[in-house]
Structures are given as C-alpha cells and as structure tokens.
Amino acid sequence: MHIFFSGIGGTAIGPLALIAKQIGYEVSGSDKQDSQYIEYLKKHGITDIHIGQTFDNISSVHNNKPIDWYVYSSAISIENSKHPELNFCHDQNIKLSKRDELINFILKQKDLKLVAIAGTQGKTTTTAMTIWLFKQLNLPISYSVGAKISFGDMGQYEASSEYFVYEADEFDRNFLAFEPYLSIITGVSWDHHEIFPTREDYQQAFREFISQTNQTILWREDYEYLELESSSDLFVQESDNKQIENIKLDGHYNRLDAWLVIQAVHKLTSTPIETLVTYMDKFPGSQRRMEQIIPNLYSDYAHTPEKIRGAMSVALEIAGKSNQRLVIVYEPLTNRRQTYMLNDYMDCFTGAERLYWLPSYLAREDPNVSILSPEELISHLSDPSIAEPVKLDSHLKQMIQKHLNQGYMVVGMAGGGGGSLDEWLRETFQTN
C-alpha cells in the first residue's frame, strides 16, 4: 500500500509516516515548507518528499506509483478547504483521511492496545517518559511522540509489542477518534479556542475521551475540574503525594508528569514503583523540552500559560543550582491563541531578569482577526518593565550572546515549526 502524508514535516504526521514505513508500506509526502523534521525523515529513509503542496507535485507522485491512501494534517483542511492535493485525491477517487483513521487501522491490524497521553500541557514529555520506561524494562513498545528523542525514533513500530503509546492531542478533536486501553491525563486547562469556543466545550471533550477509555490515570484537581463521578476505571492521583518529590528530575511539573507515567507503567507491567522511580531518575528528556543547544542556551516548547509556568519551574531550578540569572526569549504560537491569552500571561515569567518578546508565529490564522503586537501583549504582564519587543535579527543575536558571555541562562520558548525561534537559535548559535 502506498500512503501519501500531507504535512509530513509536522510532529504528528511525521512520526506516523515513520511507523508506516517500518511496517512496510510505501511512503511519500509533502509539506509547505522545509524544516529540521523534513531532514530527519529523509535521514530515516523517507526521501520522496515534495516541498510545496501543488496539484502537479502530487500528480507526479501518483503517476510514478499510484497512491492508495492520502493522510493529511488538520491544518490542510482548516487553512484551505479547496487545497489542490485534496482536489486531486477527490478527482482520482483516492482514499483520504486524517491521521486518526490510519492509526486505528494499524491498531486493529497489528492487535495493539492503545496507551494514550492526553492533556493541555506536558503530553510530549509524558509520552517520551512512558517510552523511556518501557525501553528501560526491555519491553518491546510501538509509539508516536511529537519530538525527537535520544533513545529512539519519533515513531516506532515493534512487531512483538503489546502496546502502542500515542500522544493524543485534542486539537480538531483528534483524541475523540480513539478508545484507549489506558489513558494518562496530564492536566486540563482551556486551549484551542477556535475548536472549543467555550471552556465547557473543552471540558466536555475530555469527559467524552475519558468515557471512551478503559482505564484513566489523572490528578485529583482534573477529576474535580471535569466534575467526574467516582468509577473503578478512574485512578485518581494526589499531587501533594510526598513520594513525587523523591523523583530526581528538574522541575516540579516534570516530576508530576513522571509520577503519572510511573503509575501507568506499574499498572501495565506490575513493575515495583521503586524500580520505576530509579529508572525515571535517569530520563534524558526530549528535544525542545528544556533542551540545551549550547552551554547555557536552551530551547523549550512552552507556548501557553501552563506550559510557560512549567518551563519556568524547570529553568529556575537549573539556574538556581549554579546561581545563574535567567533570561527568556519568547515567541507566542499563533495570533488566534493570543486573543484568548491576553490576561493570562500576568506573572507567567516571574523569576526572569529579562524577557525578549517576538512577534507571534502565525499558523491557521483567522484573516478577520487583527494581529496583536509584542507591545500589546507585553502590556498585559504584571511587570511589563522586564520585557522588550524584538525581532529575529542581528540585534537579538547580540543581546543573547552578551547574556551568555555574562554567564546567564538563556531559554528560548517557542511552539512553532519551520522558521521559528527554535530553528533560528539552532542555526545562529549551534556549531556542527
């Protein structure tokens, strides 16, 4: 079977393309822009990738070897309902779907039990932690994770595995397509406002997801926030459990995520909690989750108030160990999200000595909504005096280098993909 992945450079579609190739399917794809993830896929043997999503490009691929299944990211249909690739597939009667249908097909075909990681924040780290523990236990595992990890590929199919670990995001209601064997809920706080217009809509989606899951592990706070009823299928954890602080990972939020994973893997494998804690203490992290690019310069995926606070807790712990001062460079993800977050920033960056604020990384935007400037967003901080609007240019490079020379810890926080702050930092500061 020949599967064409549109938006193949994305952190959800790319790993699935890897899995399809490992299973033995013919894989090709396209993306509107080149990126580090495209290069990653090419190095892993997926070379038939077109940059530019045109009728002619997909027609050429199809003429060379007929496409059996066209899998596309949510952004394709949201940004352009008359997308040329969609039109081509309709004209050629090619099967087309979003990724959830292909994942469910693989789960059924390979008889895999789904372990789903859901929540507003911490999904990628929690997914990576789950994969890490299975690998430390030498248990075969198939998975898809939305970041590069040092201990495996972003997507992996293992023929002898019993479980498939999946980062089940709520955007476009993706996670509601699944009926997991076990789910971990990392935390629930209203997001993706264009999909869930009200807080109640968002909460209800998580209630539905939990109702479709055989067993769910979650925090007491989320159990109460979602107004769930007591059930033998719910395993409610207390966030003030003193054992959590025994985990030797930087950042309180990381330790919370780790505890949920430890409980889940204990339930799935019956491995003693103490053994799992020992393995978790050695978790090496994943790309763009407080990842050190060069000494004292880090990149993190934080782009919502909850994610920012979590990243700040990790950064302040790391900086505190060396008595370093902390500088943040922040690139908001999407203008549409900022219109809802204006009054939520407030004290998110408390602890940073200086904050450099970039224009928002634009994606899937509503053309009728005015673009909010860094100056406007900064004005909603509790202490706007710590922040300065900047651009990705030589001035910012000089300022970052100055702070690094002075021994500061500098953290870039950005959720965007190709052309984002994360890529700029790597291109500007990372030496090969």
Side-chain angles (χ1 to χ4, degrees), residues 225-331:
Y225 178 65
L226 296 174
E227 299 178 340
L228 300 173
E229 296 182 0
S230 179
S231 167
S232 60
D233 298 334
L234 300 179
F235 300 90
V236 181
Q237 304 298 307
E238 307 296 338
S239 59
D240 60 355
N241 186 328
K242 296 187 184 303
Q243 289 180 278
I244 295 171
E245 292 307 313
N246 291 332
I247 299 170
K248 297 172 184 175
L249 295 177
D250 288 323
H252 177 63
Y253 289 89
N254 276 344
R255 293 189 286 273
L256 289 174
D257 290 339
W259 183 253
L260 293 178
V261 172
I262 287 166
Q263 294 301 311
V265 176
H266 170 68
K267 186 169 290 295
L268 294 172
T269 68
S270 298
T271 304
I273 296 293
E274 296 76 13
T275 301
L276 295 175
V277 169
T278 299
Y279 284 135
M280 187 62 80
D281 286 342
K282 300 175 183 177
F283 174 65
S286 54
Q287 190 190 50
R288 298 183 68 178
R289 273 68 184 178
M290 209 54 64
E291 177 196 5
Q292 184 169 264
I293 296 175
I294 60 172
N296 294 329
L297 177 61
Y298 295 76
S299 179
D300 197 275
Y301 195 69
H303 60 271
T304 67
E306 293 77 15
K307 288 183 172 71
I308 292 168
R309 290 189 180 95
M312 287 296 296
S313 78
V314 179
L316 288 168
E317 282 195 27
I318 295 173
K321 291 177 180 179
S322 304
N323 294 315
Q324 290 178 291
R325 290 176 287 182
L326 179 63
V327 169
I328 302 296
V329 185
Y330 178 56
E331 182 181 64

Side-chain angles (χ1 to χ4, degrees), residues 13-30:
I13 295 290
L16 184 55
L18 282 174
I19 290 165
K21 181 173 179 57
Q22 291 163 6
I23 289 174
Y25 301 135
E26 181 80 18
V27 172
S28 60
S30 69

Side-chain angles (χ1 to χ4, degrees), residues 186-206:
T186 60
V188 183
S189 178
W190 188 28
D191 193 17
H192 299 304
H193 312 89
E194 73 279 26
I195 304 296
F196 306 97
T198 69
R199 191 177 300 274
E200 172 58 30
D201 290 333
Y202 195 76
Q203 291 171 308
Q204 183 56 32
F206 273 89

